[in-house]
Amino acid sequence: MPAERAWIGLGSNLDDPPARLRAALAAIDRLPETRRVATSPFYRTAPLGPADQPDFCNAVTAIDTGLEPPALLDALQAIEAAAGRVRTRRWGPRTLDLDILLYGERRIAEPRLTVPHPRLHERAFVLVPLAALAPDAYVPGRGRVAALAAAVGDDGVEPWEAA
Ligand code: ROI
């Protein structure tokens, strides 16, 4: 199976967030042509955007996949839909968010999909878990994950269990 390494960001702040992430990982394990190779710890993160919403549970998982980016996006959106994704307002609470953060070192600029994820380099809730998994991964146009993570710091990000 020809496969490329991709990194997926997971986030939830509704309906038992760690259970939502565990279910999403199980669903990713059932994707065709796809093998999950590593997953970061779960983190409790302060909401970016409106502050009057619950903390998020965030994590990052690495997969080797033969699905091309549009097919992978379709598959992740189907998992979000099956989770009964509720999204009440822009930057508001959600049951499950799955984002393609990186797909190899490809740069993709399509109406449906921008890779690397356009705000990845400025978000501690993405960079802390990504750096735990793949500090040496290269973010095209931005640099190495470890350097990006060091630049944003880890304010508002702690192990999920600590709270
Ligand atoms: N804030 C945090 N901490 N984690 C997220 O996954 C997240 N996702 C979002 C917004 C609402 C922007 N804020 C977030 O989509």
Side-chain angles (χ1 to χ4, degrees):
M1 173 183 99
E4 255 189 280
R5 176 76 39 97
W7 285 267
I8 310 298
L10 302 92
S12 168
N13 71 341
L14 289 177
D15 303 339
D16 191 354
R20 300 277 63 79
L21 264 57
R22 283 191 296 271
L25 291 168
I28 288 170
D29 285 338
R30 294 190 293 270
L31 293 180
E33 297 181 63
T34 300
R35 189 171 59 93
R36 185 158 59 92
V37 292
T39 299
S40 76
F42 290 2
Y43 294 89
R44 177 182 295 273
T45 70
L48 179 77
D52 61 332
Q53 58 178 322
D55 286 347
F56 278 78
C57 184
N58 283 114
V60 170
T61 193
I63 59 174
D64 285 341
T65 186
L67 299 177
E68 284 293 306
L72 179 60
L73 180 63
D74 288 342
L76 296 178
Q77 289 182 343
I79 294 171
E80 289 176 340
R85 175 182 166 124
V86 177
R87 184 180 191 170
T88 44
R89 53 180 161 137
R90 180 168 158 82
W91 289 37
R94 65 273 320 275
T95 36
L96 182 62
D97 227 355
L98 298 175
D99 291 326
I100 302 175
L101 303 173
L102 298 171
Y103 192 102
E105 294 187 1
R106 291 201 215 175
R107 302 177 90 147
I108 302 164
E110 286 169 9
R112 283 183 71 209
L113 183 62
T114 305
V115 176
H117 188 281
R119 287 171 296 282
L120 147 68
H121 62 282
E122 60 192 30
R123 292 184 161 178
F125 69 77
V126 175
L127 287 168
V128 170
L130 187 56
L133 208 56
D136 296 329
Y138 178 66
V139 182
R142 300 288 179 186
R144 300 273 160 211
V145 166
L148 298 172
V152 301
D154 60 3
D155 264 18
V157 178
E158 56 187 67
W160 179 265
E161 296 77 14

